[in-house]
Amino acid sequence: RLYECIYPRNVTEFSYRISGDPASIFLSFQASCTEDRKDVLERLTQSGFRPLDLSSSDLAKTHGRHLVGGRAPASLTMDEALFQFEFPETPGALLRFLNNLPQDLNVSLFHYRSHGADVARVLVAFQVPAKARPQLREYLVLLASKGFTWKEETSNDMYDRFLREPVPANRTTARL
């Protein structure tokens, strides 16, 4: 629903990390003019979101965008699997990614930033209970057939050190 309020405008940045309710999302999009930006913000409000326009905040644009989310509590990252994707930089690529997402999978981390290249590098974490792993595998195969490449990063030290609380010794991590 959030993305539908913005589409067909280009999303240039999208950051989210599971943390509680309500979720905090940092999103940038290309508006054609001030009125267009205001129209999108109004559409978001009418759809039940609470947008905060930070377009004039240098602090948000320079630093805040990179700090959104931080570490998620271990209780919210149970069975989480982390993936790095390359999205084709074509209109609607993000929409195709989201529309094909199995409903049983929860996205618990999302970071997308357009760099103006042929592909965008995207970091995504899914909460994947054991029973949903076959669905995730099918989804990844489908994405590969649509030009999305991926690599699992669940065992990456960066993930353990900066994106989630330490995993209790008696818990295993979800790997595909």
Side-chain angles (χ1 to χ4, degrees):
R1 285 186 316 130
L2 174 75
Y3 186 64
E4 288 171 349
C5 293
I6 297 159
Y7 188 77
R9 292 157 197 84
N10 286 333
V11 172
T12 57
E13 191 165 2
F14 185 100
S15 295
Y16 162 76
R17 181 65 169 136
I18 194 169
S19 60
D21 191 25
S24 292
I25 297 170
F26 186 95
L27 184 130
S28 299
F29 62 91
Q30 290 178 325
S32 60
C33 61
T34 301
E35 193 60 36
D36 185 38
R37 178 178 43 82
K38 289 179 181 178
D39 288 346
V40 170
L41 294 171
E42 180 60 29
R43 191 170 315 130
L44 286 165
T45 300
Q46 290 172 353
S47 293
F49 297 101
R50 296 186 314 225
L52 175 61
D53 184 359
L54 297 173
S55 60
S56 62
S57 171
D58 188 57
L59 179 62
K61 291 188 276 188
T62 304
H63 298 288
R65 66 178 0 139
H66 303 291
L67 302 172
V68 170
R71 281 187 173 176
S75 63
L76 294 176
T77 59
M78 297 296 287
D79 297 324
E80 188 174 67
L82 184 71
F83 292 87
Q84 195 168 174
F85 288 92
E86 286 189 350
F87 278 35
E89 279 286 24
T90 56
L94 177 57
L95 187 60
R96 286 191 303 280
F97 179 87
L98 295 171
N99 280 342
N100 289 293
L101 184 67
Q103 290 190 350
D104 291 346
L105 295 180
N106 186 48
V107 175
S108 52
L109 178 149
F110 195 93
H111 181 257
Y112 165 87
R113 185 164 184 210
S114 174
H115 295 282
D118 291 342
V119 295
R121 296 185 69 181
V122 182
L123 189 64
V124 182
F126 302 102
Q127 290 175 318
V128 190
K131 67 178 182 167
R133 289 188 189 143
Q135 284 181 296
L136 177 59
R137 281 196 267 309
E138 290 174 17
Y139 176 60
L140 294 171
V141 168
L142 175 69
L143 287 177
S145 75
K146 295 181 178 289
F148 295 80
T149 61
W150 58 271
K151 176 184 176 188
E152 185 168 3
E153 298 283 5
T154 306
S155 297
N156 189 302
D157 291 334
M158 171 70 184
Y159 176 53
D160 285 333
R161 180 84 43 101
F162 296 103
L163 298 174
R164 66 179 174 180
E165 288 181 348
V167 178
N170 62 349
R171 189 184 118 204
T172 59
T173 58
R175 286 200 41 94
L176 186 59

